[in-house]
Amino acid sequence: MREGAELLYTAREIRDRVRELGAAITRDYAGREPVLVSVLKGSAVFLADLLLAIGVKARVDFMSISTYGSDSQPSGVVRIMKDLDQDIGGEDVIVVEDIVDTGLTLSYLLSVLQARRPASIEVCTLLDKSVRRITPLEIRYRGFDCPDRFVVGYGLDISERYRNLPLILAVDDPAALAEDPDALLPFLEAGPEG
Ligand code: IMP
Ligand code: MG
């Protein structure tokens, strides 16, 4: 462990788990063609790896939202900055998320998507901070049940940095690290094995 951060999931652990999730989706969606809806930007890295682990025809679409409030005081009010390109009416939708925390963002998003009458809608999240949940949610596919700590890497950012870490770290003081752009540089330089 380097100062202020602890390795939570190695690149290998993430890769193995993502492959398992892909295999589960492949089984469950045999004969169907799911549309994977990715919420930018955090889930983009996970989406790419998950997509490559899915062995049925699948389409991808992106959404970008901005949330009001902060990470510590989420409001659940969400504005759609970029909507899907495709109509999801009648489609089998899988919402792909990097992390579900309070669940406020996702439950709002699900209500928006549900109103468009998809044939089905499921959630696939890499990380689930289930102890923080405020809004009950049904999560069909989950990578890891994540401790109640601020996490960064594999798409998750700290002040827009370190999304390119191939592993996932838990950081003790995200506010302090946000002020110091080089704080996690040793982890980047160490490469996938950490
Ligand atoms: P929720 O509405 O509280 O579930 O918010 C989920 C969103 O908060 C995620 O999509 C992330 O953008 C952000 N988030 C929550 N926890 C973390 C974290 O530990 N690291 C980075 N982003 C986080
Ligand atoms: Mg997100």
Side-chain angles (χ1 to χ4, degrees):
M1 170 168 163
R2 294 177 172 90
E3 198 135 346
E6 186 191 340
L7 178 60
L8 212 52
Y9 308 110
T10 65
R12 173 182 278 269
E13 284 170 324
I14 296 168
R15 188 197 60 195
D16 291 349
R17 191 69 192 109
V18 171
R19 286 184 183 169
E20 287 171 3
L21 292 172
I25 290 172
T26 301
R27 273 194 309 274
D28 295 349
Y29 287 82
R32 290 190 286 164
E33 184 175 336
V35 178
L36 274 59
V37 168
S38 161
V39 186
L40 295 170
K41 304 170 209 171
S43 71
V45 174
F46 174 44
L47 172 81
D49 284 347
L50 180 69
L51 191 58
L52 294 176
I54 292 175
V56 294
K57 282 179 290 178
R59 281 169 288 158
V60 178
D61 209 339
F62 294 93
M63 225 171 166
S64 178
I65 58 176
S66 79
T67 50
Y68 295 94
S70 63
D71 280 346
S72 54
Q73 288 268 286
S75 67
V77 180
V78 171
R79 189 150 62 107
I80 296 175
M81 309 301 285
K82 183 223 169 289
D83 207 336
L84 300 175
D85 294 334
Q86 305 158 36
D87 179 13
I88 54 163
E91 303 287 354
D92 291 309
V93 171
I94 304 175
V95 178
V96 178
E97 266 286 21
D98 48 356
I99 185 165
V100 182
D101 186 25
T102 62
L104 290 167
T105 310
L106 186 57
S107 71
Y108 175 83
L109 193 64
L110 287 172
S111 68
V112 168
L113 297 178
Q114 202 79 65
R116 300 178 188 180
R117 305 259 172 258
S120 67
I121 185 159
E122 300 290 353
V123 174
C124 178
T125 188
L126 181 67
L127 303 177
D128 183 4
K129 269 191 201 172
S130 57
V131 296
R132 296 251 309 161
R133 196 63 31 82
I134 292 173
T135 314
L137 277 174
E138 205 184 303
I139 298 180
R140 175 82 171 266
Y141 307 99
R142 116 188 46 223
F144 302 99
D145 193 44
C146 176
D148 182 12
R149 300 178 66 184
F150 191 85
V151 293
V152 61
Y154 197 72
L156 290 146
D157 70 305
I158 183 158
S159 297
E160 293 297 328
R161 292 194 187 88
Y162 297 109
R163 294 189 195 275
N164 56 323
L165 276 174
L167 36 75
I168 294 176
L169 303 173
V171 306
D172 297 328
D173 187 349
L177 288 191
E179 298 289 300
D180 177 6
D182 289 341
L184 299 178
L185 205 49
F187 286 99
L188 266 186
E189 291 167 347
E193 303 312 320

